[in-house]
Amino acid sequence: MTLTADAGAADAAPSGAPRETVYRPAAPVDLRSTVGMLRRGPGDPTMVFDGPVIWRTLRTPLGAATLALRAQSGEIRATAWGGGADHALDTVPDLCGAGDDPSGFDPSHHPLISEVARRSPGIRLARTGVVFDALACAVIEQKVTGLEAFRTWRLLVTKFGERAPGPTPRPMYTAPTAAEWRRIPSWDWHRVAVQPPQSKTIVRVAERADSISRALLAASTGDERDRVLTSFPGIGVWTSAETRIRALGDPDAVSVGDYHLAHEVGYALTGHRTDDDGMLDLLAPWAGHRQRVIRLIFASGVSEPRRGPRLSPEDHRSR
């Protein structure tokens, strides 16, 4: 696997010799659509698209690691650096959808879904297995625009995370540990425009990160997973669904309460926007695979025309 880096790679964190492996999936995998959906905006310091290579940082029990993935001739070639390199390579199959089981999914209930499923067989549901990171990201994204959330994530990870090892195409960082999130001072939350309810939720969750992760990974149904997460103040069904989607690759999670999602699903399936109840009715024929359908809708390119200006970011720091 040939990987290139810019001139800034010389000051990257020490990484040692890289480790490599080749993953040969049993079914086609569209790497950009499958793993790329984990990226938090183009400035995400934990994930970078560099041509055909996807770079991703992660923390492991053995230390920080950087993972580079490239699809080639039906294979996924992976290279990893850092103390956690071997662990990072072990995550590749799940990241590429190895645990995603489409059994029972019938796209024929709607012509758009049927067509997108036919032409995009490589869209899989990635699973990171990292519950706390997904949960912290989802809490940051509560009640703000995507641009605001992406900026906040970038600033916090860059300041409080760890410089990632390896010849990354630009400086990259691993996200802070749960203990490090707990130590972020109140004024730093304020500087990046995170409101007190959200910062307090992240700190409370960080205090019990391990037990939450164990309970969520042990839960076997969507209702059980929701009960685990929504038992904590500040975490509702939207935050639960967003966490389940990324950490577990949950094929049935639906982000009820999202500002745009119901409108987009309604428009794609009927030509008209709808509300959350209408969205759930439309998705009912695909129970067990509703997130899969949503991903196919996004991949279709069908989108409701904009009716006005974008929602402007709101600055809470003067409050």
Side-chain angles (χ1 to χ4, degrees):
M1 181 176 181
T2 302
L3 302 170
T4 59
D6 65 7
D11 63 354
S15 55
R19 308 285 289 178
E20 296 185 343
T21 192
V22 177
Y23 169 56
R24 298 177 177 87
V29 175
D30 182 328
L31 193 62
R32 181 69 70 97
S33 296
T34 300
V35 180
M37 62 81 59
L38 298 171
R39 186 176 69 156
R40 302 289 178 160
D44 188 347
T46 69
M47 180 172 283
V48 171
F49 296 165
D50 183 36
V53 182
I54 294 179
W55 295 78
R56 173 175 165 79
T57 70
L58 62 159
R59 296 186 317 274
T60 80
L62 298 176
T66 301
L67 182 64
L69 302 172
R70 180 171 186 162
Q72 187 173 357
S73 302
E75 300 176 336
I76 308 297
R77 297 184 174 271
T79 304
W81 294 262
D86 287 337
H87 181 96
L89 294 179
D90 289 342
T91 70
V92 171
D94 276 347
L95 280 176
C96 295
D100 179 22
D101 182 6
S103 299
F105 173 56
D106 183 1
S108 68
H109 292 301
H110 192 282
L112 174 68
I113 303 305
S114 182
E115 171 61 18
V116 181
R118 181 192 64 78
R119 71 171 190 251
S120 304
I123 296 177
R124 314 289 293 172
L125 301 181
R127 173 190 173 100
T128 69
V130 185
V131 173
F132 178 75
D133 283 5
L135 184 51
C137 285
V139 173
I140 287 172
E141 293 176 359
Q142 292 175 353
K143 302 180 181 180
V144 297
T145 67
L147 290 176
E148 291 174 280
F150 295 156
R151 172 185 176 274
T152 295
W153 173 251
R154 182 180 73 252
L155 293 175
L156 289 173
V157 170
T158 301
K159 182 167 184 177
F160 296 102
E162 178 182 347
R163 183 67 182 273
T168 57
R170 71 180 189 220
M172 296 179 67
Y173 296 80
T174 61
T177 64
E180 289 165 340
W181 283 104
R182 290 172 56 189
R183 291 195 294 267
I184 295 176
S186 59
W187 53 86
D188 278 307
W189 291 111
H190 187 68
R191 285 170 180 160
V192 296
V194 176
Q195 297 183 69
Q198 279 67 50
S199 62
K200 289 177 182 177
T201 296
I202 292 175
V203 171
R204 278 196 300 264
V205 170
E207 291 170 349
R208 300 186 62 184
D210 289 342
S211 61
I212 293 172
S213 180
R214 286 194 298 269
L216 189 65
L217 293 173
S220 59
T221 69
D223 287 344
E224 291 176 1
R225 292 163 181 169
D226 274 342
R227 280 195 292 271
V228 169
L229 292 173
T230 60
S231 64
F232 292 88
I235 299 176
V237 292
W238 182 90
T239 304
S240 175
E242 290 291 304
T243 303
R244 289 162 52 194
I245 289 166
R246 290 170 175 81
L248 305 179
D250 193 321
D252 198 46
V254 181
S255 302
V256 174
D258 191 88
Y259 187 80
H260 297 289
L261 183 61
H263 299 164
E264 296 294 348
V265 170
Y267 186 82
L269 298 181
T270 70
H272 304 282
R273 62 166 50 194
T274 188
D275 58 13
D276 282 333
D277 289 339
M279 173 180 67
L280 293 176
D281 286 342
L282 289 171
L283 294 175
W286 295 287
H289 295 277
R290 295 176 297 176
Q291 177 57 212
R292 193 181 311 281
V293 172
I294 290 169
R295 291 288 302 283
L296 291 172
I297 288 173
F298 290 156
S300 73
V302 175
S303 181
E304 182 188 27
R306 294 196 177 277
R307 299 172 181 267
R310 286 181 179 271
L311 185 66
S312 298
E314 188 174 355
D315 191 343
H316 303 277
R317 286 172 290 182
S318 62
R319 296 183 176 180

